[in-house]
Amino acid sequence: MPSSFAEARVDLGAISENIAALARRARGAAVMGVVKADGYGHGMLPAARAMLAGGAEWLGTAFIEEALELREAGFTCPVVAWILPPRAPLAAAVAADVDLGVSAPGLIADIAAAARETGRPARVHLKADTGLNRGGLTAEQWPETVAAAARAEAAGLVRVAGVFSHFACADEPGHPSIAAQISAFHEALEIAEKAGLDPEVRHLANSAATLTLPETHFDLVRPGIAGYGLSPIPGLADTGLRPAMTLRAAVALVKRVPAGSGVSYGHRYTTDRPANLALVPLGYGDGIPRAATNTGPLLIGGRRRTVSGTVCMDQFMVDLGDDTLGDEPEAVLFGPGDHGEPTAQDWAEVLGTIPYEIVTRISPRVPRVYDGAP
Ligand SMILES: Cc1ncc(COP(=O)(O)O)c(C=O)c1O
């Protein structure tokens, strides 16, 4: 059951505006809003609606199940799912007109079989591994898979709607792998063209590339994190992005303790003077990393403070010094930063991670509350 003491407020207007800003950057390329992992923790369906309102024409998910949820909710735009493990529901995807990312040569036959079973052609996007060495067809697999896709297309079982790839280091401007991947992508496109494929969309750019590498925009860009207002490149100037999620909780209690009091499990924090301690009812059960022990920043009573002692499953403590709090005090862990609260980027820096993880890991126990259109 979701907690009633805490909420992740999501500003849908910010998501729409972020997508609109990215569409302006993409100048002519269409935008696919990436909504996998429950919209990076923001709620997939509301995030998807906000992205379409901001001008996205495509949606992207990791898994077919996520894409089917979009279809069941009434989304009719093109949706691509790009991780297809064994026993992925290919026929259900074809029946629901979900585009499929192809990362393994054998998938063409499997998808063609699903198309035969469903009685309609499957739409696929061939994914070239241009150097990420994660999903995608290797340079060795590419020509045979392209040929198999061309045969399946000629047989009316498959439509090759897209050719795409994904960057390893687009968030590190100037990284030598970027130029190498761009050139490998051009080679993959050339091979596809020579085999007679004529994809509607060629796509390569994630958020970082959408913001910094115009030569990678091709026909379609695929921003995820930037749509939620978080920069994929810390410190990048003039992104025009606004963080959409604010995580906050009511302060559950405040109590006075003497100097020398060990606080929370393991007594990893000790008061150096008599102090007021606030209990914040959020913990690792809510997605607050336990590694935020003694480091997580937050705003309480108009001042920036730090988690004091161990983050527990449901709660953590904060040393307020001699400060007292007004009625119904609240703790803001992160947000857009308008009122002096930390950002998800601040949490990421303290914890040695990326803001993607900070927002995505907030658990279903924390209710999402939506502000703004749509
Ligand atoms: C294939 C693909 N495209 C686009 C994205 C969006 O990336 P980002 O959130 O960095 O924009 C992802 C996310 O991991 C992805 O896997």
Side-chain angles (χ1 to χ4, degrees), residues 34 36 40 82 127 134 164 166 206-208 222-226 232 356:
V34 178
K36 62 197 172 90
Y40 290 42
W82 51 69
K127 185 174 191 182
R134 201 180 65 177
F164 75 119
H166 193 45
N206 57 2
S207 293
R222 300 190 311 266
I225 197 72
Y356 299 63

Side-chain angles (χ1 to χ4, degrees), residues 254-280:
V254 178
K255 67 174 161 203
R256 186 83 177 161
V257 297
S261 299
V263 176
S264 192
Y265 288 140
H267 283 179
R268 290 191 178 84
Y269 180 85
T270 304
T271 54
D272 57 5
R273 59 208 171 340
N276 296 328
L277 293 178
L279 188 157
V280 178

